[in-house]
Amino acid sequence: MNFELPKIYPITDALLSKISHVEQVEKLIKGGASFIQLREKYASPQEFYKSAESALKLARARDVKIIINDRVDIALALKADGVHLGQDDLLPAEARKILGGKAIIGFSTHNIEQAVTAIRFPIDYLAIGPIFTTGTKENPDAVVGLEDLRKVREATGNFPLVAIGGINLENLREVYKAGADSAAIISSLISDTGKISENYKLFSSL
Ligand code: TZP
Ligand code: MG
């Protein structure tokens, strides 16, 4: 593997944080983040390209890795570190052909069956969620829960595993205990704009 999965995997959201992706990246880096996903569900591809370009420029200067959500084209054009794909995005094998062997490819799954299928794909990590109820994702899949997270860990051996969805300071330890290598977090990290750096530090100290 050409990267180390961080224990806390921050994901940006311009709507929730009310600030740009580059501003979120700056605050996350200030808090110690070295691996960040840019997630943009509302802006046009053109706008996302522009904001990802600024975020990537800053991240490059600080030796921080940037993963682009959904958009293989934008990841390729900006030479981002990788892409995070969902069940309906380009298949990981197609993305791998486009982005090459060095790109980090993550893949979202929502149940044990999808997770077991995913470990045969050319991906670097798999994500499973929503573990808890989340208000961040539109039309989220059914809540997976800690028990099924445990089962996913068992069924996928030591495959790099990211848990996502409704993770906060209270439940983070349970998520690691159930077998997640990493916790991907949006709202409890970035929705209080003034506390993004502080929150990252707090989460990564647990
Ligand atoms: N995929 C499953 S849940 C989710 C995504 C993108 C949203 C996670 O956001 P939050 O605010 O940490 O629940
Ligand atoms: Mg997607």
Short mmCIF file of all heavy atoms in Angstrom, two decimals, residues 11 16 37 39 41 69 108 110 128-137 140 164-167 184-188, ligand 1:
data_model
loop_
_atom_site.label_atom_id
_atom_site.label_comp_id
_atom_site.label_asym_id
_atom_site.label_seq_id
_atom_site.Cartn_x
_atom_site.Cartn_y
_atom_site.Cartn_z
N ILE A 11 -13.51 14.57 5.99
CA ILE A 11 -14.13 14.80 4.69
C ILE A 11 -14.73 16.20 4.71
O ILE A 11 -15.43 16.58 5.67
CB ILE A 11 -15.23 13.76 4.41
CG1 ILE A 11 -14.64 12.34 4.47
CG2 ILE A 11 -15.89 14.02 3.05
CD1 ILE A 11 -15.66 11.23 4.22
N LEU A 16 -22.20 22.37 4.90
CA LEU A 16 -22.24 22.23 6.36
C LEU A 16 -21.28 23.19 7.05
O LEU A 16 -21.63 23.78 8.08
CB LEU A 16 -21.85 20.80 6.74
CG LEU A 16 -22.95 19.77 6.89
CD1 LEU A 16 -22.33 18.43 7.22
CD2 LEU A 16 -23.92 20.20 7.99
N GLN A 37 -10.40 14.02 2.34
CA GLN A 37 -11.24 13.83 1.16
C GLN A 37 -12.05 15.10 0.89
O GLN A 37 -12.65 15.66 1.81
CB GLN A 37 -12.19 12.64 1.38
CG GLN A 37 -13.09 12.38 0.17
CD GLN A 37 -14.15 11.31 0.42
OE1 GLN A 37 -15.31 11.44 0.05
NE2 GLN A 37 -13.75 10.22 1.08
N ARG A 39 -15.36 16.40 -0.67
CA ARG A 39 -16.67 15.87 -1.09
C ARG A 39 -17.57 17.03 -1.44
O ARG A 39 -17.80 17.90 -0.61
CB ARG A 39 -17.26 15.03 0.04
CG ARG A 39 -18.59 14.36 -0.29
CD ARG A 39 -18.97 13.44 0.87
NE ARG A 39 -20.17 12.69 0.62
CZ ARG A 39 -21.40 13.10 0.95
NH1 ARG A 39 -21.57 14.28 1.52
NH2 ARG A 39 -22.44 12.35 0.71
N LYS A 41 -21.26 17.70 -3.35
CA LYS A 41 -22.44 17.09 -3.96
C LYS A 41 -23.34 18.11 -4.64
O LYS A 41 -24.33 17.74 -5.26
CB LYS A 41 -23.26 16.33 -2.90
CG LYS A 41 -22.51 15.15 -2.29
CD LYS A 41 -22.31 14.03 -3.31
CE LYS A 41 -21.76 12.78 -2.66
NZ LYS A 41 -21.45 11.73 -3.64
N ASN A 69 -13.84 12.94 -4.00
CA ASN A 69 -15.04 12.10 -3.96
C ASN A 69 -15.70 12.05 -5.34
O ASN A 69 -15.87 13.08 -6.00
CB ASN A 69 -16.01 12.67 -2.91
CG ASN A 69 -17.23 11.79 -2.73
OD1 ASN A 69 -18.24 11.96 -3.38
ND2 ASN A 69 -17.12 10.81 -1.86
N SER A 108 -17.00 2.83 -1.34
CA SER A 108 -18.04 2.78 -0.31
C SER A 108 -18.90 1.53 -0.41
O SER A 108 -19.35 1.18 -1.51
CB SER A 108 -19.00 3.96 -0.49
OG SER A 108 -18.43 5.13 0.02
N HIS A 110 -22.21 -0.66 1.85
CA HIS A 110 -23.28 -0.37 2.81
C HIS A 110 -23.81 -1.61 3.51
O HIS A 110 -24.77 -1.52 4.28
CB HIS A 110 -24.41 0.38 2.09
CG HIS A 110 -23.89 1.54 1.28
ND1 HIS A 110 -23.34 2.65 1.89
CD2 HIS A 110 -23.75 1.74 -0.05
CE1 HIS A 110 -22.91 3.49 0.94
NE2 HIS A 110 -23.16 2.95 -0.24
N ILE A 128 -17.38 1.43 5.01
CA ILE A 128 -18.68 0.81 5.30
C ILE A 128 -19.51 1.80 6.13
O ILE A 128 -19.02 2.41 7.07
CB ILE A 128 -18.52 -0.55 6.04
CG1 ILE A 128 -19.86 -1.15 6.43
CG2 ILE A 128 -17.62 -0.44 7.27
CD1 ILE A 128 -20.54 -1.93 5.36
N GLY A 129 -20.76 1.97 5.72
CA GLY A 129 -21.62 2.89 6.46
C GLY A 129 -22.97 3.08 5.79
O GLY A 129 -23.21 2.49 4.74
N PRO A 130 -23.86 3.85 6.38
CA PRO A 130 -23.64 4.59 7.63
C PRO A 130 -23.68 3.68 8.86
O PRO A 130 -24.60 2.88 9.00
CB PRO A 130 -24.81 5.58 7.65
CG PRO A 130 -25.88 4.93 6.84
CD PRO A 130 -25.19 4.11 5.81
N ILE A 131 -22.67 3.81 9.70
CA ILE A 131 -22.64 3.00 10.92
C ILE A 131 -23.76 3.46 11.86
O ILE A 131 -24.45 2.64 12.46
CB ILE A 131 -21.26 3.13 11.64
CG1 ILE A 131 -20.12 2.74 10.69
CG2 ILE A 131 -21.23 2.29 12.92
CD1 ILE A 131 -20.18 1.33 10.14
N PHE A 132 -23.92 4.78 11.98
CA PHE A 132 -25.00 5.35 12.80
C PHE A 132 -25.86 6.24 11.91
O PHE A 132 -25.50 6.51 10.76
CB PHE A 132 -24.41 6.18 13.95
CG PHE A 132 -23.40 5.45 14.78
CD1 PHE A 132 -22.05 5.73 14.68
CD2 PHE A 132 -23.80 4.44 15.66
CE1 PHE A 132 -21.10 5.04 15.45
CE2 PHE A 132 -22.87 3.75 16.44
CZ PHE A 132 -21.53 4.05 16.32
N THR A 133 -26.96 6.73 12.47
CA THR A 133 -27.82 7.65 11.72
C THR A 133 -27.02 8.89 11.33
O THR A 133 -26.26 9.43 12.14
CB THR A 133 -28.99 8.09 12.62
OG1 THR A 133 -29.62 6.91 13.10
CG2 THR A 133 -29.99 8.92 11.85
N THR A 134 -27.20 9.34 10.10
CA THR A 134 -26.51 10.54 9.64
C THR A 134 -27.48 11.49 8.96
O THR A 134 -28.40 11.05 8.28
CB THR A 134 -25.35 10.20 8.67
OG1 THR A 134 -24.75 11.44 8.24
CG2 THR A 134 -25.82 9.42 7.44
N GLY A 135 -27.25 12.78 9.17
CA GLY A 135 -28.07 13.77 8.49
C GLY A 135 -27.31 14.37 7.31
O GLY A 135 -27.83 15.20 6.58
N THR A 136 -26.08 13.94 7.14
CA THR A 136 -25.21 14.57 6.14
C THR A 136 -25.46 14.05 4.74
O THR A 136 -25.39 14.80 3.77
CB THR A 136 -23.73 14.35 6.52
OG1 THR A 136 -23.54 14.82 7.85
CG2 THR A 136 -22.80 15.07 5.58
N LYS A 137 -25.74 12.76 4.62
CA LYS A 137 -25.91 12.16 3.30
C LYS A 137 -27.38 12.18 2.91
O LYS A 137 -28.23 11.82 3.71
CB LYS A 137 -25.40 10.72 3.33
CG LYS A 137 -25.23 10.13 1.96
CD LYS A 137 -24.65 8.73 2.02
CE LYS A 137 -24.50 8.23 0.60
NZ LYS A 137 -23.86 6.92 0.53
N PRO A 140 -29.56 8.24 2.67
CA PRO A 140 -28.56 7.28 3.11
C PRO A 140 -29.10 5.85 3.08
O PRO A 140 -30.31 5.64 3.15
CB PRO A 140 -28.26 7.70 4.55
CG PRO A 140 -29.47 8.43 5.00
CD PRO A 140 -30.05 9.08 3.78
N ILE A 164 -17.92 4.92 8.45
CA ILE A 164 -18.44 6.26 8.19
C ILE A 164 -19.91 6.36 8.58
O ILE A 164 -20.64 5.36 8.52
CB ILE A 164 -18.24 6.67 6.71
CG1 ILE A 164 -18.70 8.12 6.46
CG2 ILE A 164 -18.96 5.71 5.75
CD1 ILE A 164 -18.22 8.71 5.15
N GLY A 165 -20.32 7.57 8.96
CA GLY A 165 -21.73 7.84 9.20
C GLY A 165 -22.06 8.03 10.67
O GLY A 165 -22.07 7.06 11.43
N GLY A 166 -22.31 9.27 11.05
CA GLY A 166 -22.76 9.58 12.40
C GLY A 166 -21.72 9.37 13.48
O GLY A 166 -22.07 9.24 14.66
N ILE A 167 -20.46 9.38 13.10
CA ILE A 167 -19.41 9.14 14.12
C ILE A 167 -19.13 10.46 14.85
O ILE A 167 -19.01 11.52 14.24
CB ILE A 167 -18.15 8.54 13.47
CG1 ILE A 167 -18.50 7.19 12.84
CG2 ILE A 167 -17.02 8.40 14.50
CD1 ILE A 167 -17.40 6.55 12.02
N ALA A 184 -14.18 7.90 9.19
CA ALA A 184 -14.39 9.04 8.30
C ALA A 184 -15.50 9.91 8.90
O ALA A 184 -16.57 9.39 9.24
CB ALA A 184 -14.76 8.57 6.90
N ILE A 185 -15.22 11.18 9.03
CA ILE A 185 -16.14 12.05 9.75
C ILE A 185 -16.37 13.35 8.99
O ILE A 185 -15.41 13.98 8.51
CB ILE A 185 -15.58 12.38 11.17
CG1 ILE A 185 -15.29 11.08 11.93
CG2 ILE A 185 -16.57 13.26 11.94
CD1 ILE A 185 -14.63 11.28 13.27
N ILE A 186 -17.64 13.74 8.91
CA ILE A 186 -17.95 15.05 8.31
C ILE A 186 -18.49 15.99 9.40
O ILE A 186 -17.76 16.81 9.94
CB ILE A 186 -18.95 14.94 7.14
CG1 ILE A 186 -18.44 13.91 6.10
CG2 ILE A 186 -19.12 16.32 6.49
CD1 ILE A 186 -19.36 13.74 4.88
N SER A 187 -19.80 15.85 9.73
CA SER A 187 -20.44 16.90 10.52
C SER A 187 -19.79 17.17 11.87
O SER A 187 -19.59 18.33 12.23
CB SER A 187 -21.94 16.63 10.66
OG SER A 187 -22.15 15.36 11.19
N SER A 188 -19.45 16.13 12.62
CA SER A 188 -18.93 16.45 13.96
C SER A 188 -17.52 17.04 13.90
O SER A 188 -17.03 17.57 14.90
CB SER A 188 -19.02 15.28 14.93
OG SER A 188 -18.85 14.07 14.33
N1 TZP B 1 -21.53 7.86 3.48
C1 TZP B 1 -22.15 7.14 4.39
S1 TZP B 1 -22.62 8.10 5.70
C2 TZP B 1 -21.97 9.49 5.01
C3 TZP B 1 -21.40 9.17 3.79
C4 TZP B 1 -20.75 10.11 2.88
C5 TZP B 1 -22.02 10.83 5.67
C6 TZP B 1 -21.11 10.93 6.84
O1 TZP B 1 -21.22 12.20 7.44
P1 TZP B 1 -21.33 12.38 9.01
O2 TZP B 1 -21.69 13.86 9.14
O3 TZP B 1 -19.99 12.12 9.61
O4 TZP B 1 -22.42 11.48 9.50
#
